[in-house]
Amino acid sequence: EWETYVVPDVWNNLKNVAKVHAPLLVIHSDDDNVNPLDGAKRVFDAAYEPKQWVEVHDVPHNSPFKDPNDAFWAPVLKFIAQ
Protein backbone atom coordinates (compact mmCIF):
# COMPACT_ATOMS: atom_id res chain seq x y z
CA GLU A 1 0.00 0.00 0.00
CA TRP A 2 2.95 2.35 0.59
CA GLU A 3 3.59 2.33 -3.18
CA THR A 4 0.52 4.49 -3.73
CA TYR A 5 2.25 7.31 -1.86
CA VAL A 6 5.65 7.19 -3.56
CA VAL A 7 4.78 6.23 -7.14
CA PRO A 8 3.48 9.15 -9.21
CA ASP A 9 0.02 8.84 -10.75
CA VAL A 10 1.09 8.73 -14.40
CA TRP A 11 -2.38 7.61 -15.50
CA ASN A 12 -4.30 10.37 -13.69
CA ASN A 13 -7.58 8.47 -14.04
CA LEU A 14 -9.45 11.06 -12.01
CA LYS A 15 -8.63 13.75 -14.58
CA ASN A 16 -8.90 11.55 -17.67
CA VAL A 17 -12.27 10.01 -16.84
CA ALA A 18 -13.79 13.41 -17.70
CA LYS A 19 -12.91 12.66 -21.34
CA VAL A 20 -14.95 9.44 -21.36
CA HIS A 21 -18.52 9.74 -22.64
CA ALA A 22 -19.04 6.07 -23.46
CA PRO A 23 -20.75 3.69 -21.03
CA LEU A 24 -18.28 2.96 -18.26
CA LEU A 25 -17.83 -0.02 -15.96
CA VAL A 26 -15.65 0.47 -12.91
CA ILE A 27 -15.03 -2.85 -11.22
CA HIS A 28 -12.82 -2.95 -8.17
CA SER A 29 -11.98 -5.31 -5.35
CA ASP A 30 -11.88 -4.57 -1.66
CA ASP A 31 -8.80 -6.84 -1.63
CA ASP A 32 -6.71 -4.79 -4.09
CA ASN A 33 -3.48 -3.96 -2.26
CA VAL A 34 -2.15 -1.76 -5.10
CA ASN A 35 -5.03 0.57 -5.92
CA PRO A 36 -7.17 1.56 -2.95
CA LEU A 37 -10.92 1.12 -3.22
CA ASP A 38 -11.59 4.76 -2.35
CA GLY A 39 -9.46 5.88 -5.33
CA ALA A 40 -11.56 3.80 -7.70
CA LYS A 41 -14.71 5.19 -6.11
CA ARG A 42 -13.49 8.77 -6.68
CA VAL A 43 -12.90 7.97 -10.37
CA PHE A 44 -16.37 6.46 -10.61
CA ASP A 45 -17.98 9.47 -8.93
CA ALA A 46 -16.21 11.83 -11.37
CA ALA A 47 -17.37 9.90 -14.45
CA TYR A 48 -20.28 10.81 -16.68
CA GLU A 49 -23.36 8.64 -17.00
CA PRO A 50 -24.03 6.00 -18.05
CA LYS A 51 -21.77 4.29 -15.56
CA GLN A 52 -21.84 1.21 -13.40
CA TRP A 53 -19.97 0.41 -10.18
CA VAL A 54 -19.22 -3.19 -9.22
CA GLU A 55 -17.35 -3.98 -6.04
CA VAL A 56 -16.01 -7.51 -5.82
CA HIS A 57 -14.64 -9.18 -2.73
CA ASP A 58 -11.51 -11.21 -2.08
CA VAL A 59 -10.01 -10.60 -5.53
CA PRO A 60 -6.36 -9.47 -5.20
CA HIS A 61 -4.88 -6.96 -7.65
CA ASN A 62 -3.67 -9.27 -10.46
CA SER A 63 -5.96 -12.18 -9.65
CA PRO A 64 -8.44 -11.56 -12.53
CA PHE A 65 -5.64 -12.39 -14.97
CA LYS A 66 -3.57 -14.89 -12.99
CA ASP A 67 -6.51 -16.81 -11.55
CA PRO A 68 -9.69 -15.84 -13.48
CA ASN A 69 -13.00 -16.39 -11.74
CA ASP A 70 -16.66 -15.45 -12.10
CA ALA A 71 -16.55 -12.98 -9.20
CA PHE A 72 -14.65 -10.56 -11.43
CA TRP A 73 -15.43 -11.60 -14.99
CA ALA A 74 -19.21 -12.24 -14.80
CA PRO A 75 -20.01 -8.53 -14.25
CA VAL A 76 -17.61 -7.60 -17.07
CA LEU A 77 -19.28 -9.98 -19.53
CA LYS A 78 -22.74 -8.80 -18.45
CA PHE A 79 -21.72 -5.16 -19.03
CA ILE A 80 -20.33 -5.94 -22.48
CA ALA A 81 -23.50 -7.79 -23.45
CA GLN A 82 -25.72 -4.77 -22.67
Side-chain angles (χ1 to χ4, degrees):
E1 193 171 289
W2 62 269
E3 300 93 345
T4 61
Y5 300 103
V6 296
V7 177
D9 184 5
V10 297
W11 302 109
N12 201 347
N13 292 329
L14 192 56
K15 175 185 171 189
N16 289 325
V17 76
K19 301 173 186 174
V20 177
H21 295 277
L24 178 69
L25 171 65
V26 177
I27 183 167
H28 203 79
S29 175
D30 59 357
D31 196 26
D32 189 329
N33 63 344
V34 176
N35 298 304
L37 187 65
D38 62 331
K41 187 65 173 153
R42 283 194 304 274
V43 170
F44 176 78
D45 290 342
Y48 290 106
E49 295 285 347
K51 60 185 178 180
Q52 182 180 349
W53 169 263
V54 175
E55 184 176 328
V56 294
H57 306 286
D58 303 319
V59 180
H61 183 72
N62 284 324
S63 181
F65 305 104
K66 291 182 178 179
D67 185 24
N69 63 56
D70 284 343
F72 183 89
W73 289 107
V76 173
L77 295 174
K78 181 178 177 183
F79 181 82
I80 292 169
Q82 294 177 353

mmCIF file of all heavy atoms in Angstrom, residues 1-38:
data_model
loop_
_atom_site.group_PDB
_atom_site.id
_atom_site.type_symbol
_atom_site.label_atom_id
_atom_site.label_comp_id
_atom_site.label_asym_id
_atom_site.label_seq_id
_atom_site.Cartn_x
_atom_site.Cartn_y
_atom_site.Cartn_z
ATOM 1 N N GLU A 1 0.818 -1.193 0.000
ATOM 2 C CA GLU A 1 0.000 0.000 0.000
ATOM 3 C C GLU A 1 0.865 1.262 0.000
ATOM 4 O O GLU A 1 0.451 2.301 -0.488
ATOM 5 C CB GLU A 1 -0.930 -0.028 1.209
ATOM 6 C CG GLU A 1 -2.010 1.014 1.118
ATOM 7 C CD GLU A 1 -3.028 0.839 2.195
ATOM 8 O OE1 GLU A 1 -3.801 -0.141 2.120
ATOM 9 O OE2 GLU A 1 -3.036 1.672 3.094
ATOM 10 N N TRP A 2 2.061 1.184 0.545
ATOM 11 C CA TRP A 2 2.947 2.352 0.588
ATOM 12 C C TRP A 2 3.301 2.851 -0.805
ATOM 13 O O TRP A 2 3.585 4.028 -0.997
ATOM 14 C CB TRP A 2 4.207 2.043 1.377
ATOM 15 C CG TRP A 2 5.025 0.933 0.765
ATOM 16 C CD1 TRP A 2 4.938 -0.394 1.032
ATOM 17 C CD2 TRP A 2 6.029 1.064 -0.244
ATOM 18 N NE1 TRP A 2 5.810 -1.110 0.255
ATOM 19 C CE2 TRP A 2 6.505 -0.238 -0.538
ATOM 20 C CE3 TRP A 2 6.575 2.139 -0.932
ATOM 21 C CZ2 TRP A 2 7.494 -0.476 -1.478
ATOM 22 C CZ3 TRP A 2 7.562 1.889 -1.874
ATOM 23 C CH2 TRP A 2 8.015 0.597 -2.128
ATOM 24 N N GLU A 3 3.234 1.944 -1.813
ATOM 25 C CA GLU A 3 3.588 2.329 -3.177
ATOM 26 C C GLU A 3 2.696 3.448 -3.700
ATOM 27 O O GLU A 3 3.122 4.275 -4.491
ATOM 28 C CB GLU A 3 3.475 1.133 -4.139
ATOM 29 C CG GLU A 3 4.359 -0.033 -3.796
ATOM 30 C CD GLU A 3 3.649 -1.067 -2.937
ATOM 31 O OE1 GLU A 3 2.582 -0.788 -2.368
ATOM 32 O OE2 GLU A 3 4.166 -2.183 -2.824
ATOM 33 N N THR A 4 1.454 3.477 -3.243
ATOM 34 C CA THR A 4 0.522 4.489 -3.734
ATOM 35 C C THR A 4 0.932 5.893 -3.317
ATOM 36 O O THR A 4 0.479 6.870 -3.899
ATOM 37 C CB THR A 4 -0.917 4.208 -3.253
ATOM 38 O OG1 THR A 4 -0.943 4.229 -1.832
ATOM 39 C CG2 THR A 4 -1.406 2.875 -3.769
ATOM 40 N N TYR A 5 1.812 5.998 -2.326
ATOM 41 C CA TYR A 5 2.245 7.306 -1.856
ATOM 42 C C TYR A 5 3.565 7.751 -2.469
ATOM 43 O O TYR A 5 3.879 8.928 -2.462
ATOM 44 C CB TYR A 5 2.362 7.306 -0.333
ATOM 45 C CG TYR A 5 1.039 6.984 0.327
ATOM 46 C CD1 TYR A 5 0.784 5.735 0.864
ATOM 47 C CD2 TYR A 5 0.030 7.941 0.368
ATOM 48 C CE1 TYR A 5 -0.435 5.446 1.451
ATOM 49 C CE2 TYR A 5 -1.200 7.656 0.948
ATOM 50 C CZ TYR A 5 -1.418 6.408 1.492
ATOM 51 O OH TYR A 5 -2.628 6.128 2.052
ATOM 52 N N VAL A 6 4.342 6.825 -3.013
ATOM 53 C CA VAL A 6 5.650 7.191 -3.562
ATOM 54 C C VAL A 6 5.724 7.082 -5.084
ATOM 55 O O VAL A 6 6.615 7.647 -5.689
ATOM 56 C CB VAL A 6 6.787 6.346 -2.935
ATOM 57 C CG1 VAL A 6 6.906 6.624 -1.454
ATOM 58 C CG2 VAL A 6 6.604 4.868 -3.198
ATOM 59 N N VAL A 7 4.793 6.389 -5.687
ATOM 60 C CA VAL A 7 4.783 6.232 -7.140
ATOM 61 C C VAL A 7 3.856 7.302 -7.723
ATOM 62 O O VAL A 7 2.700 7.417 -7.321
ATOM 63 C CB VAL A 7 4.287 4.824 -7.545
ATOM 64 C CG1 VAL A 7 4.209 4.702 -9.049
ATOM 65 C CG2 VAL A 7 5.208 3.757 -6.959
ATOM 66 N N PRO A 8 4.350 8.115 -8.646
ATOM 67 C CA PRO A 8 3.483 9.153 -9.214
ATOM 68 C C PRO A 8 2.316 8.553 -9.997
ATOM 69 O O PRO A 8 2.409 7.469 -10.555
ATOM 70 C CB PRO A 8 4.417 9.933 -10.145
ATOM 71 C CG PRO A 8 5.571 9.035 -10.399
ATOM 72 C CD PRO A 8 5.675 8.084 -9.238
ATOM 73 N N ASP A 9 1.219 9.278 -10.032
ATOM 74 C CA ASP A 9 0.024 8.841 -10.747
ATOM 75 C C ASP A 9 0.153 9.222 -12.220
ATOM 76 O O ASP A 9 -0.367 10.241 -12.650
ATOM 77 C CB ASP A 9 -1.217 9.477 -10.123
ATOM 78 C CG ASP A 9 -2.500 8.988 -10.759
ATOM 79 O OD1 ASP A 9 -2.447 8.079 -11.618
ATOM 80 O OD2 ASP A 9 -3.569 9.514 -10.416
ATOM 81 N N VAL A 10 0.857 8.409 -12.987
ATOM 82 C CA VAL A 10 1.092 8.727 -14.396
ATOM 83 C C VAL A 10 -0.178 8.575 -15.230
ATOM 84 O O VAL A 10 -0.276 9.143 -16.310
ATOM 85 C CB VAL A 10 2.229 7.875 -15.000
ATOM 86 C CG1 VAL A 10 3.543 8.183 -14.302
ATOM 87 C CG2 VAL A 10 1.909 6.400 -14.925
ATOM 88 N N TRP A 11 -1.154 7.816 -14.748
ATOM 89 C CA TRP A 11 -2.383 7.608 -15.501
ATOM 90 C C TRP A 11 -3.371 8.736 -15.264
ATOM 91 O O TRP A 11 -4.160 9.059 -16.137
ATOM 92 C CB TRP A 11 -3.022 6.263 -15.135
ATOM 93 C CG TRP A 11 -2.119 5.113 -15.379
ATOM 94 C CD1 TRP A 11 -1.504 4.347 -14.432
ATOM 95 C CD2 TRP A 11 -1.702 4.597 -16.636
ATOM 96 N NE1 TRP A 11 -0.731 3.383 -15.031
ATOM 97 C CE2 TRP A 11 -0.836 3.517 -16.393
ATOM 98 C CE3 TRP A 11 -1.969 4.941 -17.959
ATOM 99 C CZ2 TRP A 11 -0.251 2.786 -17.399
ATOM 100 C CZ3 TRP A 11 -1.378 4.203 -18.966
ATOM 101 C CH2 TRP A 11 -0.533 3.139 -18.682
ATOM 102 N N ASN A 12 -3.386 9.296 -14.074
ATOM 103 C CA ASN A 12 -4.300 10.369 -13.686
ATOM 104 C C ASN A 12 -5.744 10.063 -14.117
ATOM 105 O O ASN A 12 -6.385 10.827 -14.836
ATOM 106 C CB ASN A 12 -3.851 11.721 -14.230
ATOM 107 C CG ASN A 12 -4.459 12.868 -13.449
ATOM 108 O OD1 ASN A 12 -5.394 12.683 -12.671
ATOM 109 N ND2 ASN A 12 -3.953 14.064 -13.667
ATOM 110 N N ASN A 13 -6.225 8.918 -13.670
ATOM 111 C CA ASN A 13 -7.575 8.474 -14.036
ATOM 112 C C ASN A 13 -8.654 9.454 -13.605
ATOM 113 O O ASN A 13 -9.664 9.604 -14.294
ATOM 114 C CB ASN A 13 -7.852 7.098 -13.429
ATOM 115 C CG ASN A 13 -7.011 6.035 -14.058
ATOM 116 O OD1 ASN A 13 -6.658 6.123 -15.226
ATOM 117 N ND2 ASN A 13 -6.666 5.017 -13.285
ATOM 118 N N LEU A 14 -8.452 10.116 -12.490
ATOM 119 C CA LEU A 14 -9.450 11.061 -12.012
ATOM 120 C C LEU A 14 -9.640 12.208 -13.000
ATOM 121 O O LEU A 14 -10.759 12.635 -13.268
ATOM 122 C CB LEU A 14 -9.045 11.587 -10.635
ATOM 123 C CG LEU A 14 -10.094 12.349 -9.861
ATOM 124 C CD1 LEU A 14 -11.364 11.531 -9.685
ATOM 125 C CD2 LEU A 14 -9.547 12.752 -8.503
ATOM 126 N N LYS A 15 -8.553 12.683 -13.574
ATOM 127 C CA LYS A 15 -8.633 13.752 -14.576
ATOM 128 C C LYS A 15 -9.137 13.204 -15.920
ATOM 129 O O LYS A 15 -10.004 13.796 -16.557
ATOM 130 C CB LYS A 15 -7.261 14.389 -14.770
ATOM 131 C CG LYS A 15 -7.203 15.420 -15.860
ATOM 132 C CD LYS A 15 -5.782 15.925 -16.063
ATOM 133 C CE LYS A 15 -5.682 16.792 -17.302
ATOM 134 N NZ LYS A 15 -4.299 17.120 -17.625
ATOM 135 N N ASN A 16 -8.607 12.077 -16.334
ATOM 136 C CA ASN A 16 -8.895 11.553 -17.669
ATOM 137 C C ASN A 16 -10.294 10.960 -17.815
ATOM 138 O O ASN A 16 -10.814 10.885 -18.931
ATOM 139 C CB ASN A 16 -7.841 10.526 -18.069
ATOM 140 C CG ASN A 16 -6.515 11.183 -18.351
ATOM 141 O OD1 ASN A 16 -6.466 12.296 -18.873
ATOM 142 N ND2 ASN A 16 -5.426 10.529 -17.987
ATOM 143 N N VAL A 17 -10.923 10.566 -16.727
ATOM 144 C CA VAL A 17 -12.275 10.012 -16.841
ATOM 145 C C VAL A 17 -13.254 11.067 -17.352
ATOM 146 O O VAL A 17 -14.290 10.734 -17.940
ATOM 147 C CB VAL A 17 -12.737 9.381 -15.509
ATOM 148 C CG1 VAL A 17 -13.128 10.440 -14.485
ATOM 149 C CG2 VAL A 17 -13.878 8.398 -15.750
ATOM 150 N N ALA A 18 -12.926 12.328 -17.199
ATOM 151 C CA ALA A 18 -13.793 13.405 -17.705
ATOM 152 C C ALA A 18 -13.851 13.417 -19.232
ATOM 153 O O ALA A 18 -14.756 14.021 -19.806
ATOM 154 C CB ALA A 18 -13.300 14.754 -17.197
ATOM 155 N N LYS A 19 -12.928 12.738 -19.881
ATOM 156 C CA LYS A 19 -12.909 12.658 -21.344
ATOM 157 C C LYS A 19 -13.750 11.492 -21.869
ATOM 158 O O LYS A 19 -13.939 11.358 -23.075
ATOM 159 C CB LYS A 19 -11.475 12.501 -21.840
ATOM 160 C CG LYS A 19 -10.556 13.643 -21.427
ATOM 161 C CD LYS A 19 -9.128 13.342 -21.810
ATOM 162 C CE LYS A 19 -8.174 14.392 -21.269
ATOM 163 N NZ LYS A 19 -6.775 14.029 -21.527
ATOM 164 N N VAL A 20 -14.232 10.648 -20.973
ATOM 165 C CA VAL A 20 -14.954 9.437 -21.361
ATOM 166 C C VAL A 20 -16.450 9.722 -21.367
ATOM 167 O O VAL A 20 -17.027 10.087 -20.341
ATOM 168 C CB VAL A 20 -14.645 8.269 -20.392
ATOM 169 C CG1 VAL A 20 -15.464 7.037 -20.770
ATOM 170 C CG2 VAL A 20 -13.156 7.966 -20.393
ATOM 171 N N HIS A 21 -17.073 9.540 -22.523
ATOM 172 C CA HIS A 21 -18.516 9.736 -22.642
ATOM 173 C C HIS A 21 -19.221 8.445 -23.056
ATOM 174 O O HIS A 21 -20.426 8.455 -23.287
ATOM 175 C CB HIS A 21 -18.822 10.867 -23.621
ATOM 176 C CG HIS A 21 -18.329 12.196 -23.127
ATOM 177 N ND1 HIS A 21 -19.048 12.964 -22.250
ATOM 178 C CD2 HIS A 21 -17.169 12.853 -23.337
ATOM 179 C CE1 HIS A 21 -18.368 14.058 -21.973
ATOM 180 N NE2 HIS A 21 -17.225 14.009 -22.605
ATOM 181 N N ALA A 22 -18.474 7.383 -23.160
ATOM 182 C CA ALA A 22 -19.042 6.071 -23.464
ATOM 183 C C ALA A 22 -19.510 5.422 -22.159
ATOM 184 O O ALA A 22 -19.082 5.817 -21.073
ATOM 185 C CB ALA A 22 -17.978 5.193 -24.125
ATOM 186 N N PRO A 23 -20.382 4.432 -22.244
ATOM 187 C CA PRO A 23 -20.753 3.695 -21.030
ATOM 188 C C PRO A 23 -19.492 3.167 -20.341
ATOM 189 O O PRO A 23 -18.557 2.697 -20.987
ATOM 190 C CB PRO A 23 -21.615 2.548 -21.557
ATOM 191 C CG PRO A 23 -22.183 3.075 -22.833
ATOM 192 C CD PRO A 23 -21.087 3.936 -23.420
ATOM 193 N N LEU A 24 -19.482 3.277 -19.026
ATOM 194 C CA LEU A 24 -18.281 2.956 -18.259
ATOM 195 C C LEU A 24 -18.593 1.953 -17.163
ATOM 196 O O LEU A 24 -19.574 2.107 -16.431
ATOM 197 C CB LEU A 24 -17.714 4.235 -17.625
ATOM 198 C CG LEU A 24 -16.483 4.083 -16.745
ATOM 199 C CD1 LEU A 24 -15.261 3.711 -17.584
ATOM 200 C CD2 LEU A 24 -16.238 5.367 -15.970
ATOM 201 N N LEU A 25 -17.774 0.941 -17.066
ATOM 202 C CA LEU A 25 -17.832 -0.016 -15.960
ATOM 203 C C LEU A 25 -16.584 0.175 -15.123
ATOM 204 O O LEU A 25 -15.468 0.093 -15.635
ATOM 205 C CB LEU A 25 -17.880 -1.456 -16.482
ATOM 206 C CG LEU A 25 -17.722 -2.554 -15.421
ATOM 207 C CD1 LEU A 25 -18.897 -2.547 -14.457
ATOM 208 C CD2 LEU A 25 -17.573 -3.912 -16.089
ATOM 209 N N VAL A 26 -16.771 0.442 -13.850
ATOM 210 C CA VAL A 26 -15.651 0.473 -12.912
ATOM 211 C C VAL A 26 -15.866 -0.715 -11.987
ATOM 212 O O VAL A 26 -16.843 -0.780 -11.254
ATOM 213 C CB VAL A 26 -15.591 1.794 -12.113
ATOM 214 C CG1 VAL A 26 -14.454 1.751 -11.100
ATOM 215 C CG2 VAL A 26 -15.433 2.983 -13.055
ATOM 216 N N ILE A 27 -14.959 -1.660 -12.056
ATOM 217 C CA ILE A 27 -15.029 -2.851 -11.220
ATOM 218 C C ILE A 27 -13.764 -2.869 -10.378
ATOM 219 O O ILE A 27 -12.661 -2.684 -10.886
ATOM 220 C CB ILE A 27 -15.196 -4.136 -12.061
ATOM 221 C CG1 ILE A 27 -15.333 -5.354 -11.164
ATOM 222 C CG2 ILE A 27 -14.101 -4.296 -13.072
ATOM 223 C CD1 ILE A 27 -15.818 -6.602 -11.882
ATOM 224 N N HIS A 28 -13.959 -3.044 -9.074
ATOM 225 C CA HIS A 28 -12.815 -2.954 -8.174
ATOM 226 C C HIS A 28 -13.022 -3.886 -6.998
ATOM 227 O O HIS A 28 -14.149 -4.124 -6.568
ATOM 228 C CB HIS A 28 -12.648 -1.515 -7.681
ATOM 229 C CG HIS A 28 -11.258 -1.216 -7.232
ATOM 230 N ND1 HIS A 28 -10.242 -0.943 -8.105
ATOM 231 C CD2 HIS A 28 -10.718 -1.169 -6.003
ATOM 232 C CE1 HIS A 28 -9.130 -0.728 -7.432
ATOM 233 N NE2 HIS A 28 -9.394 -0.862 -6.141
ATOM 234 N N SER A 29 -11.927 -4.371 -6.467
ATOM 235 C CA SER A 29 -11.983 -5.306 -5.350
ATOM 236 C C SER A 29 -11.592 -4.631 -4.040
ATOM 237 O O SER A 29 -10.686 -3.794 -4.001
ATOM 238 C CB SER A 29 -11.032 -6.478 -5.604
ATOM 239 O OG SER A 29 -11.010 -7.332 -4.471
ATOM 240 N N ASP A 30 -12.253 -5.047 -2.988
ATOM 241 C CA ASP A 30 -11.884 -4.569 -1.658
ATOM 242 C C ASP A 30 -10.577 -5.211 -1.190
ATOM 243 O O ASP A 30 -10.033 -4.838 -0.159
ATOM 244 C CB ASP A 30 -13.003 -4.852 -0.661
ATOM 245 C CG ASP A 30 -13.346 -6.329 -0.540
ATOM 246 O OD1 ASP A 30 -12.774 -7.171 -1.259
ATOM 247 O OD2 ASP A 30 -14.236 -6.647 0.275
ATOM 248 N N ASP A 31 -10.046 -6.141 -1.974
ATOM 249 C CA ASP A 31 -8.804 -6.838 -1.626
ATOM 250 C C ASP A 31 -7.645 -6.417 -2.529
ATOM 251 O O ASP A 31 -6.632 -7.097 -2.603
ATOM 252 C CB ASP A 31 -9.026 -8.350 -1.710
ATOM 253 C CG ASP A 31 -7.937 -9.148 -1.012
ATOM 254 O OD1 ASP A 31 -7.308 -8.611 -0.075
ATOM 255 O OD2 ASP A 31 -7.702 -10.310 -1.399
ATOM 256 N N ASP A 32 -7.783 -5.295 -3.232
ATOM 257 C CA ASP A 32 -6.711 -4.786 -4.092
ATOM 258 C C ASP A 32 -5.707 -4.046 -3.217
ATOM 259 O O ASP A 32 -6.030 -3.016 -2.626
ATOM 260 C CB ASP A 32 -7.282 -3.847 -5.152
ATOM 261 C CG ASP A 32 -6.258 -3.448 -6.203
ATOM 262 O OD1 ASP A 32 -5.056 -3.362 -5.881
ATOM 263 O OD2 ASP A 32 -6.664 -3.218 -7.349
ATOM 264 N N ASN A 33 -4.494 -4.573 -3.116
ATOM 265 C CA ASN A 33 -3.481 -3.956 -2.262
ATOM 266 C C ASN A 33 -2.597 -2.973 -3.034
ATOM 267 O O ASN A 33 -1.635 -2.449 -2.484
ATOM 268 C CB ASN A 33 -2.624 -5.029 -1.591
ATOM 269 C CG ASN A 33 -1.842 -5.854 -2.591
ATOM 270 O OD1 ASN A 33 -2.149 -5.840 -3.780
ATOM 271 N ND2 ASN A 33 -0.851 -6.587 -2.123
ATOM 272 N N VAL A 34 -2.916 -2.706 -4.290
ATOM 273 C CA VAL A 34 -2.146 -1.763 -5.101
ATOM 274 C C VAL A 34 -2.920 -0.468 -5.303
ATOM 275 O O VAL A 34 -2.387 0.629 -5.128
ATOM 276 C CB VAL A 34 -1.755 -2.387 -6.463
ATOM 277 C CG1 VAL A 34 -1.038 -1.378 -7.336
ATOM 278 C CG2 VAL A 34 -0.896 -3.628 -6.244
ATOM 279 N N ASN A 35 -4.176 -0.593 -5.690
ATOM 280 C CA ASN A 35 -5.034 0.569 -5.922
ATOM 281 C C ASN A 35 -6.154 0.564 -4.888
ATOM 282 O O ASN A 35 -7.012 -0.315 -4.913
ATOM 283 C CB ASN A 35 -5.627 0.528 -7.333
ATOM 284 C CG ASN A 35 -4.544 0.580 -8.381
ATOM 285 O OD1 ASN A 35 -3.735 1.484 -8.405
ATOM 286 N ND2 ASN A 35 -4.529 -0.417 -9.248
ATOM 287 N N PRO A 36 -6.156 1.536 -4.004
ATOM 288 C CA PRO A 36 -7.173 1.557 -2.946
ATOM 289 C C PRO A 36 -8.594 1.702 -3.505
ATOM 290 O O PRO A 36 -8.813 2.352 -4.521
ATOM 291 C CB PRO A 36 -6.808 2.785 -2.113
ATOM 292 C CG PRO A 36 -5.394 3.114 -2.469
ATOM 293 C CD PRO A 36 -5.192 2.618 -3.869
ATOM 294 N N LEU A 37 -9.518 1.090 -2.820
ATOM 295 C CA LEU A 37 -10.922 1.121 -3.217
ATOM 296 C C LEU A 37 -11.450 2.549 -3.286
ATOM 297 O O LEU A 37 -12.192 2.898 -4.205
ATOM 298 C CB LEU A 37 -11.750 0.295 -2.228
ATOM 299 C CG LEU A 37 -13.207 0.061 -2.561
ATOM 300 C CD1 LEU A 37 -13.351 -0.787 -3.819
ATOM 301 C CD2 LEU A 37 -13.909 -0.620 -1.399
ATOM 302 N N ASP A 38 -11.063 3.394 -2.353
ATOM 303 C CA ASP A 38 -11.586 4.763 -2.351
ATOM 304 C C ASP A 38 -11.109 5.553 -3.570
ATOM 305 O O ASP A 38 -11.810 6.439 -4.053
ATOM 306 C CB ASP A 38 -11.257 5.490 -1.052
ATOM 307 C CG ASP A 38 -9.772 5.661 -0.805
ATOM 308 O OD1 ASP A 38 -8.979 4.829 -1.269
ATOM 309 O OD2 ASP A 38 -9.407 6.653 -0.130
#
